[in-house]
Amino acid sequence: MVGVRLGQRDVRCPREYAAVGVPYFLRVDLRNRVPTIALYELFEGEYRPLAAAAAGTSFVMRKPFEFTIDPADLLGEEAPEEEPDAGE
């Protein structure tokens, strides 16, 4: 499920997902050009945080599958080209 609206819907969606038993909820926030990722697990009817990271750090999750990324990579900007070594 993907939500694109910001505001009140952001708060309602996790509750709606929990109500129908969605076991994991991944929130990706690209606002203010500082991407963050947070993974939540459903526990006793509410989501509890499992992993979180902001740009410049590694987001690492183990459930429901293993995945690692720096949230900055989500911006789609190419890294500057590296200059070749003088010895090559």
Side-chain angles (χ1 to χ4, degrees), residues 4-76:
V4 293
R5 290 185 178 178
L6 301 176
Q8 191 177 34
R9 180 104 177 123
D10 286 344
V11 176
R12 253 191 344 241
C13 283
R15 285 189 216 137
E16 292 170 2
Y17 301 158
V20 295
V22 175
Y24 296 94
F25 174 68
L26 183 67
R27 174 168 281 154
V28 178
D29 187 347
L30 300 175
R31 293 179 284 185
N32 301 320
R33 296 190 48 80
V34 180
T36 60
I37 302 175
L39 175 67
Y40 300 88
E41 180 177 33
L42 189 61
F43 180 75
E44 295 181 356
E46 294 187 7
Y47 287 106
R48 64 178 180 181
L50 282 182
T57 62
S58 290
F59 171 79
V60 179
M61 61 184 244
R62 304 274 183 246
K63 296 179 184 180
F65 53 87
E66 291 191 19
F67 179 72
T68 303
I69 190 171
D70 179 340
D73 293 342
L74 299 175
L75 291 178

